[in-house]
Structure formats: structure tokens, C-alpha cells
Amino acid sequence: MAEQNLEAKLKNLLKQEKIQLWNPPYTEQGQQPGRQHMQLAERYAHLLRLPVSEVGGALESIRAQAVKRGRGNQTFRETSVATLELLLPRDAKKDPKVRTYLETRLDVSAQQVVDRVAEEHGLRSIKLILSGRTLSAERRLDEQGVKNHSKVMVLRVSDGELKQQLTEEEEERRSQEESVQRTQKGFQILSERDGSEDPHTTPFLEIADQKGNPLKIPPTEKKALILAMGFHEKGRALMKRKQHDNALCHLLQADQQFRKCGSALLSSVDNYAVLQLDIVWCYRALEALSCLEDGRSRLQRAEDCFLRCYGEQQERLLMIKGNTGREEVLFLRLYLLQSLLSYIEGSDSEARLQLSRVESLYARLRPDSEKMAQLMALGFSEREARLGLRASRGDLQEAAIHISTRRQEREELKQRERQKRRTRMEAISALMELGFSQRDAARALHHADGNVDRAYAILLDSSQDAQATNNNTEGGASPEMVEQLLYLGFERDSAEAALRLTGGDVQSATQLLLDNQGVLSPELLTPPSTSSSSSTPSSEEPSSASSSPEDSELVSEVLEDIAPHEEDYLDLTLEEESELISAMKAYLHREPAHT
């Protein structure tokens, strides 16, 4: 990081003095350092109080980059061949101080670049990341915003540190790709469940506020939000295991899903801000902070989101939760990452300012081992003790009261949930006694927000509509419609089912049959239930098409990665933060060498 800091400072000086290192007298015609190059190094070394050799080396690196960039611009104009800077995994770099470039046309697919990078650098199973977005392998580079001189991050998606046999590496690659796919599928199933099934046997996720009250969210946004939160939880679980490559893949997937949510929703919850912090924290762990522009913009989005959610002085947070101590760890990590990026950009004064805020927060938030031991002796968990002390600003008695109160609140929430389920099952039983199936009763009750009378009205209207549709399509009223579909080559059963499903609309029925290659699934061919008070309900009717053993296994798998405690994202031990604080102090308080 010290090299990046020095280069940033020198670039600022060059910009202020309007010096162009790629032109004479700093670069000769043979593109070698010019006669005034060393004079400039000596002058800047005296100004920065650093060795001439160190400053000269940094200036030469800047000059070489500028010359290469100029050549790249000319090549791009003449041949349409672009120069990309590759940010390779740290263990794939032969020399960490030497930048890696790749020349390619931009009208090729990302997969072609993946293949070249893998071959030239001995990497397997990689992804290309541009500004925090994964490049689609099938699409062209220019279609995805890749330009001449773009910085592209190369992210390994399998464990490349274990140099094992090819079959084992392939298995690892498939395993990690499957991890992303299974995570998406599992949370897709959960996002499509509406709570109409029996919650004791069929889990579903509900979006709630800080008090546990369900939030009314449009179905499309709810689906995207559940997928986003699911990918985020999986990514955080991988971060805890120090699997930052794989974690970043999941976090970027979460970011894509969050972007599908409306801005009003994103501004009302802090999940999106926490995700931005986690992505940049992964950049740091992977030493990929060359993704500076993306990292800086993500931290700005996080800070803006925190201010909207919590208030300028955290007054909204104080009103909702009664204290702000637990959330302050998020600001500690935010300021620490901002300090790091400022240092890399060469702004030492800004880095010191942010670091002083970090140290002040750290002194207040770091765990007091003696007080934690006293709380744990009272029967509280380590997490409860840590969060309780932060919420009470270190007051032992207040912390114990806070933890007890939170336990009581969680228990009350569980009791309300259990009561809601009992009431719901009683209502379903009442509707079943009127002749409706368990599945139809549950779904109607869900759409009626638990109101039995409204659910009954929904079921009654549905039965009448279904009967009317059956009369129109099966009672001989429209044989001409069926004949029209038969004339087009469709089977009679499929034609009648399509007309029934589309309410007798021939054009819609035709399109439905075409979409299904003329063969409708058994579920579509089965007429809808026309339950009446005289019908016998079936207690063995399947609750949902999504309750297959395979789907149940996927759901159980992804639910394992959801933190059991709702404040898990706030329970930072601050061990990693402490290490980075020490490193930053060493960088910023380094004694300058005299020439």
C-alpha cells in the first residue's frame, strides 16, 4: 500500500505542476527516461522527505504507465485492439509491483478473455469483475461496458491454493459453481412461497421491520429482496470461513438482486449499506483495492444509506432501538475503509482524520474481557455480552438489563408468531368444514390477510368463476372454438383445457398451446377444484408444488446459512479491524527518511 500511496502523491504533484512525464524532456524519443527525470525525482524527494531512489522508482513507474497508455491509445485508434489492466489474484503475480496488461479486441466474448487469462497465467475457474459486476461469459466485452484501459479484476472461484490433481480441481470448481446455483434456487423457492402452506412443515421467509412486523412489499420486489438477502447471508457465512473469493461471488450476486428493488425500499433498510461494506471488506482481504473507484463509490452509497436509515445524528435509530451503540461498529468499519482508500489515493491528511474517528470508536467498542466474563457468569452468551456492553456504552448493570429486555422481546415475538399460526390453522379448519380443500383455504386466507369472512368470499367467487368457465368450455356452448383448435392440429384434450384456462379466448388458447408445444402439463390439464359445501376435503392433498424432497433439501441447505441471531451482522469481534488499524498507524506515522 505504501507504493500506491507514494504514486498517488506524485500524481497529485504532477497534476498541480501540469507535468507530462510521457513527453520530452522527461521521456526521450526512444521512450526512455529523459534528462530531467532524475532532477524531478530529486526535487520531489526533498519535498516529500523520502529517499531519491524510492521517489525515482515511483516516478519511473508512473512514466512507464503513461507511455504504455499512450501507445495503447494509438493502437486502439489504429487497430481497435484495447489494452486492459488485469488485477490478478495475489498468488498469481510474479512481481507484486509490476502491473499486468492484456491486449484484446472488445468485440469478443468475455469467455475468450477468460480462456486467455487462464492459459497465460496458469489459472483455473476464474471470473472477470468490472466495477463490481461479474462479466457474462457469453456476451461481448463492449456490450458490458469494457473500454480501452479498463481495470478488470480476475477472481478465482475455486481453491487455487490447493494444487491437486485435475479431477479434484474440477470437482472443486463444480462444487463452488453449484454452491451459487443452489443458493439461488433455494432462496428462489422461498421467495415464491406466500405463506399459504403449513409453516410447521413448509418454511417460508417473511420480510419484517425491526420490531418483527411484516412489511407489505410488491411481489416482484419481495422476490428480489429475499434473493438479495439470501445471497448476502451466504456470502457472510463464507467470509467467516475466510473464503473471500467465493464470498465475493455471492455478495456481487446479492448486489444485483438489491438493484432490482425500488429506491424507496433500499433507503428504508440498512441491509444494502451493510452489503456495500462487506464487498469492500472482501476487496481488502483479497488485496484488490486497485478497484479503487468501485470501492470508493460503494462506501459512499453505504454512508448515504446509513444516514437515510438512521438519521443524520442517528436519531431515527435511537427512536427505534433505544440506543445506537451496536450499530456503531458499522461506522467503525466504514471510516476504517475510507481511511484506507484515502491513504491509497495519497491523501494522508484525510486518512489520518478518518483514522482518528476509527480509534475513538474502537476505544469505546472493543470488548472489555473482564466485564464480558462477569456477564457470561450470569448466564449470558458471549454475543449477548458483547452487544449488551456496546448498547449500554460499557455500563455493566445497564448491559445486563438490556440483554434481559432483548430476551424478553424475542420471546414475546415468538409467542405472537405461535399465536398467529394457531389462529391461522383454526381459520383453515373452519373453511375446510365448509367443504374447501386445505390448500385453497390456506391460500384464500393468505390473500385475505387472515380475515376468515373475506377468505370465504374469495373461495366462493373462485368456485363460481371456475364453474362458469367449465360451463362455457365443456357444456357445448363453444364447439366451434374447439374445432378451430383441432383444425390447427392440436389434440382435443389439450384444446379443451387451453380454452378452459383462457376463459374461452381462442387466440389466447392458441398461444398457450404454442408456448407448450401443444402438450399441456398434467397440472394444467386437471380442472380447478369446484369445492362446494357437500364435497369432502382431503387432508392428504399436497400443500404445494414446491414441497418436493429435492426442493425441501435445497431450502434446508440455504436456511443453514441464515444467522440464527438477528443482530449477527453487528456482532463483530473487531479482531480484523484491530489488525488493520495497527497497519494504518504504521503506514501513516512512518518516519520520513532524509536525503
Side-chain angles (χ1 to χ4, degrees):
M1 286 194 296
E3 292 84 358
Q4 291 171 300
N5 171 261
L6 177 55
E7 285 191 16
K9 288 179 179 177
L10 291 172
K11 286 177 181 178
N12 290 336
L13 290 171
L14 293 169
K15 185 176 180 180
Q16 291 171 12
E17 299 183 18
K18 298 181 180 179
I19 293 176
Q20 298 177 333
L21 288 181
W22 59 92
N23 287 329
Y26 305 101
T27 296
E28 301 293 353
Q29 288 186 349
Q31 296 185 344
Q32 296 302 312
R35 60 186 181 276
Q36 290 195 20
H37 183 81
M38 185 53 66
Q39 296 177 11
L40 186 65
E42 291 173 353
R43 183 160 64 87
Y44 283 170
H46 178 74
L47 185 65
L48 297 173
R49 300 173 65 194
L50 291 172
V52 173
S53 59
E54 186 176 345
V55 174
L59 279 174
E60 174 55 19
S61 175
I62 296 171
R63 190 196 68 81
Q65 290 174 44
V67 170
K68 186 173 184 63
R69 188 179 183 90
R71 287 203 308 266
N73 288 337
Q74 183 177 355
T75 301
F76 186 66
R77 286 193 299 268
E78 294 175 353
T79 66
S80 297
V81 174
T83 301
L84 308 181
E85 182 179 346
L86 300 180
L87 310 175
L88 296 170
R90 55 191 168 194
D91 58 353
K93 300 175 184 177
K94 295 180 180 178
D95 184 348
K97 297 181 180 180
V98 176
R99 297 172 187 261
T100 306
Y101 297 94
L102 177 79
E103 292 186 346
T104 178
R105 294 180 62 88
L106 299 179
D107 57 0
V108 301
S109 70
Q111 185 61 52
Q112 291 177 259
V113 176
V114 166
D115 294 340
R116 281 186 58 189
V117 172
E119 181 180 357
E120 294 175 12
H121 299 280
L123 296 170
R124 293 184 181 276
S125 307
I126 58 175
K127 286 186 177 183
L128 302 181
I129 309 293
L130 175 71
S131 299
R133 292 180 295 105
T134 302
L135 296 183
S136 173
E138 296 78 16
R139 295 177 60 197
R140 292 174 17 163
L141 296 176
D142 52 5
E143 293 175 345
Q144 303 183 74
V146 180
K147 300 177 182 178
N148 190 28
H149 302 305
S150 285
K151 292 183 178 181
V152 179
M153 180 181 176
V154 180
L155 187 64
R156 184 186 283 114
V157 294
S158 64
D159 191 357
E161 294 179 359
L162 301 177
K163 300 297 184 181
Q164 299 177 350
Q165 296 180 356
L166 176 63
T167 54
E168 294 179 350
E169 290 184 349
E170 285 299 307
E171 182 61 31
E172 179 69 14
R173 179 187 65 80
R174 285 196 297 269
S175 175
Q176 292 194 355
E177 286 183 354
E178 184 183 357
S179 171
V180 174
Q181 293 169 1
R182 289 178 70 84
T183 299
Q184 177 154 359
K185 177 64 175 174
F187 282 103
Q188 185 105 16
I189 294 169
L190 286 166
S191 70
E192 290 170 355
R193 289 179 178 171
D194 56 11
S196 60
E197 301 89 355
D198 183 356
H200 292 288
T201 59
T202 311
F204 78 102
L205 295 183
E206 190 170 54
I207 309 297
D209 61 16
Q210 292 93 336
K211 297 294 185 181
N213 301 311
L215 297 176
K216 294 294 182 181
I217 302 173
T220 304
E221 285 197 25
K222 179 182 178 182
K223 182 176 180 179
L225 185 59
I226 287 178
L227 282 171
M229 295 171 70
F231 274 118
H232 191 184
E233 288 289 339
K234 180 69 174 182
R236 288 182 59 79
L238 291 166
M239 286 175 70
K240 290 180 180 179
R241 300 172 203 149
K242 308 299 182 185
Q243 299 176 19
H244 292 98
D245 280 352
N246 204 4
L248 185 57
C249 288
H250 286 79
L251 296 177
L252 292 176
Q253 290 281 350
D255 190 59
Q256 290 181 15
Q257 294 297 330
F258 265 122
R259 291 172 185 269
K260 297 178 183 178
C261 300
S263 58
L265 177 62
L266 293 184
S267 65
S268 62
V269 295
D270 63 3
N271 305 69
Y272 186 59
V274 176
L275 173 64
Q276 304 309 307
L277 285 185
D278 287 339
I279 289 174
V280 182
W281 195 255
C282 273
Y283 284 169
R284 175 208 62 82
L286 294 168
E287 295 185 4
L289 285 173
S290 298
C291 301
L292 190 59
E293 185 176 346
D294 184 57
R296 175 67 74 183
S297 62
R298 287 187 185 279
L299 293 183
Q300 187 60 56
R301 286 200 292 272
E303 186 169 20
D304 292 343
C305 186
F306 282 139
L307 291 176
R308 286 194 301 269
C309 293
Y310 299 160
E312 292 287 340
Q313 303 298 323
Q314 301 185 29
E315 63 276 1
R316 290 182 61 192
L317 182 63
L318 187 63
M319 181 176 65
I320 294 171
K321 292 194 172 183
N323 64 79
T324 62
R326 290 163 296 177
E327 279 72 15
E328 285 185 332
V329 294
L330 301 176
F331 287 94
L332 184 151
R333 181 170 281 191
L334 172 66
Y335 299 150
L336 182 55
L337 288 170
Q338 287 176 336
S339 176
L340 177 61
L341 291 185
S342 293
Y343 174 75
I344 292 173
E345 289 175 329
S347 180
D348 287 12
S349 58
E350 182 65 25
R352 287 192 181 93
L353 178 63
Q354 295 287 14
L355 189 61
S356 66
R357 301 173 73 181
V358 171
E359 290 185 280
S360 175
L361 281 172
Y362 180 75
R364 187 162 70 244
L365 298 174
R366 65 182 174 186
D368 184 314
S369 56
E370 184 177 338
K371 291 181 178 179
M372 284 191 61
Q374 292 182 55
L375 288 170
M376 292 169 67
L378 296 175
F380 301 129
S381 68
E382 181 180 342
R383 174 191 288 112
E384 288 177 320
R386 190 159 37 237
L387 293 174
L389 285 170
R390 286 173 184 166
S392 64
R393 301 297 177 96
D395 187 298
L396 194 62
Q397 185 176 357
E398 287 295 325
I401 294 172
H402 171 81
I403 298 170
S404 300
T405 302
R406 290 291 295 147
R407 280 188 172 185
Q408 183 179 353
E409 289 173 351
R410 280 195 294 273
E411 183 57 35
E412 290 174 354
L413 182 60
K414 289 179 182 178
Q415 289 179 4
R416 288 199 302 271
E417 183 62 28
R418 285 194 288 266
Q419 180 59 42
K420 186 167 71 172
R421 289 184 178 183
R422 282 195 295 269
T423 303
R424 178 177 174 278
M425 296 310 295
E426 290 170 1
I428 290 174
S429 298
L431 292 170
M432 288 174 65
E433 290 176 3
L434 296 175
F436 299 105
S437 70
Q438 180 179 0
R439 179 179 61 183
D440 290 345
R443 288 180 176 173
L445 196 66
H446 173 76
H447 292 300
D449 293 327
N451 187 296
V452 180
D453 292 335
R454 283 173 54 201
Y456 176 71
I458 290 172
L459 289 165
L460 205 57
D461 290 344
S462 178
S463 297
Q464 292 172 350
D465 290 344
Q467 187 62 50
T469 299
N470 287 339
N471 291 338
N472 288 336
T473 57
E474 296 175 0
S478 55
E480 297 85 0
M481 297 179 184
V482 177
E483 289 300 325
Q484 288 181 53
L485 295 179
L486 294 178
Y487 180 76
L488 294 175
F490 300 114
E491 297 293 332
R492 179 176 293 276
D493 287 348
S494 295
E496 290 177 348
L499 285 168
R500 182 177 66 246
L501 291 168
T502 58
D505 187 315
V506 176
Q507 185 173 356
S508 298
T510 303
Q511 188 61 52
L512 177 62
L513 289 165
L514 289 173
D515 290 343
N516 291 273
Q517 289 78 48
V519 181
L520 300 185
S521 65
E523 291 82 1
L524 292 175
L525 285 171
T526 303
S529 168
T530 55
S531 302
S532 65
S533 58
S534 61
S535 65
T536 304
S538 171
S539 60
E540 297 183 2
E541 185 176 0
S543 63
S544 170
S546 64
S547 57
S548 69
E550 181 183 355
D551 287 351
S552 298
E553 180 183 345
L554 277 172
V555 169
S556 298
E557 184 179 304
V558 298
L559 288 178
E560 287 178 1
D561 285 313
I562 295 182
H565 195 281
E566 71 276 10
E567 293 180 330
D568 181 77
Y569 71 106
L570 300 175
D571 184 35
L572 302 181
T573 63
L574 300 183
E575 292 176 2
E576 291 182 271
E577 286 78 2
S578 176
E579 292 175 3
L580 185 53
I581 289 171
S582 298
M584 287 297 301
K585 289 170 70 174
Y587 287 131
L588 289 169
H589 300 149
R590 187 172 65 140
E591 284 296 326
H594 297 278
T595 57

